[in-house]
Amino acid sequence: MAAQTKSKLPFLKTMVRKGRPLKRILTTLKEHTVASAIAFSLGGIVPILASAFIANHKVRLAVIVAAVSLTLVAFGGIGAFLGRSPMVKSCAIVLIGGWMAMAITFGLTKLIGSTGLEL
């Protein structure tokens, strides 16, 4: 009986068993990597552009939350369209997840006393 080796990427084993060739799986992984990099880059640029010229801290914070919320809904809608899933549910999931991430990040920066970059 041959010794079985455990794959470090168990999903590859499952996908190959379903009849998908390994080359197509790796291509799909590369596509997902590029799409993720683009989404993170665009997602990071939005709050910077939205708040770049606003001096008042409270107004800047509100503008960032509004701009990022609209972007999250747009990304949720794009993902729903491409994935052929329910639009409202996908947008809500992405929006609520983004709000949670923003709240956690804001809370942690307040906890450690970060005041931002002083130029």
Side-chain angles (χ1 to χ4, degrees), residues 31-49 68 71-72 75 78 94 97-98 101-102 105:
E31 291 168 355
H32 289 300
T33 303
V34 170
S36 180
I38 292 169
F40 274 100
S41 298
L42 292 175
I45 289 173
V46 168
I48 292 170
L49 292 177
V68 170
T71 305
L72 288 168
F75 281 160
I78 292 168
V94 173
M102 285 192 295
T105 303

Coordinates of all heavy atoms in Angstrom, one line a residue, residues 31-49 68 71-72 75 78 94 97-98 101-102 105:
E31 N -5.8 34.5 -12.0 CA -6.9 35.5 -12.3 C -7.4 36.1 -11.0 O -7.6 37.3 -10.9 CB -8.0 34.9 -13.1 CG -7.6 34.5 -14.5 CD -8.6 33.6 -15.2 OE1 -9.6 33.2 -14.6 OE2 -8.4 33.3 -16.4
H32 N -7.7 35.2 -10.0 CA -8.2 35.7 -8.7 C -7.2 36.6 -8.0 O -7.6 37.6 -7.4 CB -8.6 34.5 -7.8 CG -9.8 33.8 -8.3 ND1 -11.0 34.4 -8.4 CD2 -10.0 32.5 -8.6 CE1 -11.9 33.5 -8.8 NE2 -11.3 32.3 -9.0
T33 N -5.9 36.3 -8.1 CA -4.9 37.1 -7.5 C -4.8 38.5 -8.1 O -4.8 39.5 -7.4 CB -3.5 36.4 -7.7 OG1 -3.6 35.1 -7.1 CG2 -2.4 37.2 -7.0
V34 N -4.9 38.5 -9.4 CA -4.9 39.8 -10.1 C -6.2 40.6 -9.8 O -6.1 41.8 -9.5 CB -4.7 39.6 -11.7 CG1 -5.0 40.9 -12.4 CG2 -3.4 39.1 -12.0
A35 N -7.3 40.0 -9.8 CA -8.5 40.7 -9.5 C -8.5 41.2 -8.1 O -9.0 42.3 -7.8 CB -9.7 39.7 -9.7
S36 N -8.0 40.4 -7.1 CA -7.9 40.9 -5.7 C -6.9 42.1 -5.6 O -7.3 43.0 -4.9 CB -7.4 39.7 -4.9 OG -7.3 40.1 -3.5
A37 N -5.8 42.0 -6.3 CA -4.9 43.1 -6.3 C -5.5 44.4 -6.8 O -5.4 45.5 -6.2 CB -3.6 42.8 -7.1
I38 N -6.3 44.3 -7.9 CA -6.9 45.5 -8.5 C -8.0 46.0 -7.5 O -8.1 47.2 -7.3 CB -7.6 45.1 -9.8 CG1 -6.5 44.9 -10.9 CG2 -8.5 46.2 -10.3 CD1 -6.9 44.3 -12.2
A39 N -8.8 45.1 -6.9 CA -9.8 45.5 -6.0 C -9.3 46.2 -4.8 O -9.8 47.2 -4.3 CB -10.7 44.3 -5.6
F40 N -8.2 45.7 -4.2 CA -7.6 46.3 -3.0 C -7.0 47.6 -3.4 O -7.1 48.6 -2.6 CB -6.5 45.4 -2.4 CG -7.1 44.4 -1.4 CD1 -7.3 43.1 -1.8 CD2 -7.4 44.8 -0.1 CE1 -7.9 42.2 -0.9 CE2 -7.9 43.9 0.8 CZ -8.2 42.6 0.4
S41 N -6.4 47.7 -4.6 CA -5.8 49.0 -5.0 C -6.9 50.1 -5.1 O -6.7 51.2 -4.7 CB -5.0 48.9 -6.3 OG -4.0 47.9 -6.1
L42 N -7.9 49.7 -5.8 CA -9.0 50.7 -6.0 C -9.7 51.0 -4.7 O -10.0 52.2 -4.4 CB -10.1 50.1 -7.0 CG -9.6 50.0 -8.5 CD1 -10.7 49.4 -9.3 CD2 -9.3 51.4 -9.0
G43 N -9.9 50.0 -3.9 CA -10.5 50.2 -2.6 C -9.6 51.1 -1.7 O -10.1 51.9 -0.8
G44 N -8.3 51.1 -1.8 CA -7.4 51.9 -1.0 C -7.3 53.4 -1.6 O -7.1 54.3 -0.8
I45 N -7.5 53.5 -2.9 CA -7.4 54.9 -3.5 C -8.7 55.7 -3.2 O -8.6 56.9 -3.0 CB -7.2 54.7 -5.0 CG1 -5.8 54.2 -5.3 CG2 -7.5 56.0 -5.7 CD1 -5.6 53.9 -6.7
V46 N -9.8 55.1 -3.1 CA -11.1 55.8 -2.9 C -11.1 56.7 -1.6 O -11.3 57.9 -1.7 CB -12.3 54.8 -2.8 CG1 -13.5 55.5 -2.3 CG2 -12.5 54.2 -4.2
P47 N -10.7 56.2 -0.4 CA -10.7 57.1 0.7 C -9.7 58.2 0.6 O -9.9 59.3 1.1 CB -10.5 56.2 1.9 CG -10.0 54.9 1.4 CD -10.4 54.8 0.0
I48 N -8.6 57.9 0.0 CA -7.5 58.9 -0.1 C -8.0 60.1 -1.0 O -7.9 61.2 -0.7 CB -6.2 58.3 -0.7 CG1 -5.6 57.3 0.3 CG2 -5.2 59.4 -1.1 CD1 -4.5 56.5 -0.2
L49 N -8.6 59.7 -2.2 CA -9.1 60.7 -3.1 C -10.3 61.5 -2.5 O -10.4 62.7 -2.7 CB -9.5 60.1 -4.4 CG -8.3 59.6 -5.3 CD1 -8.9 58.9 -6.5 CD2 -7.4 60.7 -5.6
V68 N -16.5 55.3 0.9 CA -16.1 53.8 1.0 C -17.4 53.0 1.0 O -17.4 51.9 0.4 CB -15.3 53.6 2.2 CG1 -15.1 52.1 2.5 CG2 -13.9 54.2 2.1
T71 N -18.5 52.6 -2.6 CA -17.5 51.7 -3.3 C -17.8 50.3 -2.9 O -17.8 49.4 -3.7 CB -16.1 52.1 -2.9 OG1 -15.9 53.5 -3.3 CG2 -15.1 51.3 -3.7
L72 N -18.1 50.0 -1.6 CA -18.4 48.7 -1.2 C -19.6 48.1 -1.8 O -19.7 47.0 -2.3 CB -18.5 48.6 0.4 CG -17.2 48.8 1.2 CD1 -17.5 49.0 2.6 CD2 -16.3 47.6 1.0
F75 N -18.7 47.3 -5.4 CA -18.0 46.0 -5.5 C -18.9 44.8 -5.2 O -18.8 43.8 -5.9 CB -16.8 46.0 -4.5 CG -15.6 46.8 -5.0 CD1 -14.6 47.2 -4.1 CD2 -15.4 47.1 -6.3 CE1 -13.5 47.9 -4.5 CE2 -14.3 47.8 -6.8 CZ -13.4 48.2 -5.8
I78 N -20.9 44.4 -8.4 CA -20.1 43.8 -9.5 C -19.9 42.3 -9.2 O -20.0 41.5 -10.1 CB -18.7 44.5 -9.6 CG1 -18.9 45.9 -10.1 CG2 -17.8 43.7 -10.5 CD1 -17.7 46.8 -10.0
V94 N -21.2 42.6 1.5 CA -19.9 43.3 1.3 C -19.9 44.6 2.1 O -18.9 45.0 2.7 CB -19.7 43.6 -0.2 CG1 -18.5 44.5 -0.4 CG2 -19.5 42.3 -0.9
G97 N -19.7 43.8 5.9 CA -18.3 43.4 6.2 C -17.3 44.5 6.2 O -16.4 44.6 7.0
G98 N -17.5 45.4 5.2 CA -16.6 46.6 5.1 C -16.8 47.5 6.3 O -15.8 48.1 6.8
A101 N -15.0 46.0 9.2 CA -13.5 46.2 9.1 C -13.1 47.6 9.4 O -12.1 47.9 10.1 CB -13.1 45.8 7.7
M102 N -13.9 48.6 8.9 CA -13.6 50.0 9.2 C -13.7 50.3 10.7 O -12.9 51.0 11.3 CB -14.5 51.0 8.4 CG -14.2 51.1 7.0 SD -15.0 52.4 6.1 CE -16.7 52.0 6.2
T105 N -10.8 48.7 12.6 CA -9.5 49.4 12.3 C -9.5 50.8 13.1 O -8.6 51.1 13.7 CB -9.4 49.7 10.8 OG1 -9.4 48.4 10.1 CG2 -8.1 50.4 10.5

